[in-house]
Amino acid sequence: MSDTSTTTPAGIDVAAVRAAAQNLDDGAVTAGYKGQREAVIAMLNGALATELVCILRYKRHYYTVSGLQNGPVKAEFLEHALQEQEHADWLAERIVQLNGKPDFNPATLLARSHAEYDDSASVQSMVRANLIAERVAIESYRQMIEQIGATDPTTRHLLVKIMAVEEEHADDMRDLLE
């Protein structure tokens, strides 16, 4: 008598694994994907807009901060801008993996961003604006992670990784305020 079960002793659903070989146009999204794909893409596009605004803010601060004593602050702004660019790239890549379209439209960027742009003139105002933006990003990522839960482990992992860097950025900005 043969076993008609499609589950292996290790608990792998063989039928689901075989079904994943179908619908190749869906790329990385298999039938087993449990997330609300459109909602996740919308969240990721909001995060992308936030990262893009943060890049622009840090770049502006990098180029406009002056004074010999502010060299370390200037370097910190540039480092953060480059890391925010990496986050934006990761988010855009994930959106594409989920069969979405990353939204880089500059006309709607500020409206979609969770953080604000800043054109402060003083170094302390710049640092404060960046600390506020980092805290906004941290809370945004925390809420996204909570909403996604266990339904999309890849996106969750990405957001946790980005949030950890944002927490480092917030610590850096807080230290510069002192």
Side-chain angles (χ1 to χ4, degrees):
M1 184 164 161
S2 70
D3 185 4
T4 59
S5 170
T6 60
T7 304
T8 67
I12 302 296
D13 182 345
V14 176
V17 170
R18 289 190 179 128
Q22 307 302 313
N23 302 318
L24 300 181
D25 290 340
D26 290 342
V29 181
T30 66
Y33 180 79
K34 301 288 186 220
Q36 295 177 352
R37 197 176 57 78
E38 293 301 323
V40 171
I41 290 168
M43 277 192 278
L44 293 177
N45 265 315
L48 175 61
T50 302
E51 295 293 344
L52 294 171
V53 168
C54 289
I55 294 163
L56 295 172
R57 188 187 57 256
Y58 273 121
K59 284 285 200 157
R60 188 209 179 268
H61 292 168
Y62 168 74
Y63 285 110
T64 60
V65 71
S66 61
L68 291 175
Q69 73 280 9
N70 290 320
V73 174
K74 185 175 179 114
E76 199 71 35
F77 289 164
L78 179 59
E79 179 184 341
H80 288 199
L82 296 173
Q83 290 171 334
E84 303 294 359
Q85 179 63 59
E86 185 174 45
H87 299 167
D89 292 342
W90 292 341
L91 290 164
E93 184 176 277
R94 184 62 183 152
I95 290 165
V96 170
Q97 287 172 349
L98 292 172
N99 299 322
K101 292 182 174 44
D103 188 349
F104 286 91
N105 185 346
T108 60
L109 195 59
L110 281 174
R112 293 179 290 113
S113 173
H114 306 143
E116 296 180 12
Y117 184 75
D118 176 75
D119 58 2
S120 296
S122 79
V123 175
Q124 286 301 305
S125 295
M126 291 177 189
V127 171
R128 182 174 169 72
N130 287 320
L131 176 54
I132 290 168
E134 295 296 354
R135 291 174 53 81
V136 166
I138 291 164
E139 179 59 19
S140 296
Y141 284 118
R142 188 198 63 73
Q143 288 183 28
M144 286 185 267
I145 291 164
E146 188 175 283
Q147 285 181 33
I148 289 170
T151 64
D152 182 341
T154 302
T155 300
R156 180 184 175 88
H157 175 75
L158 172 62
L159 298 177
V160 167
K161 180 167 79 169
I162 293 172
M163 189 172 87
V165 176
E166 303 297 3
E167 289 173 348
E168 290 175 22
H169 289 178
D171 281 345
D172 293 343
M173 291 299 109
R174 184 195 58 206
D175 291 347
L176 290 174
L177 274 178
E178 296 174 357

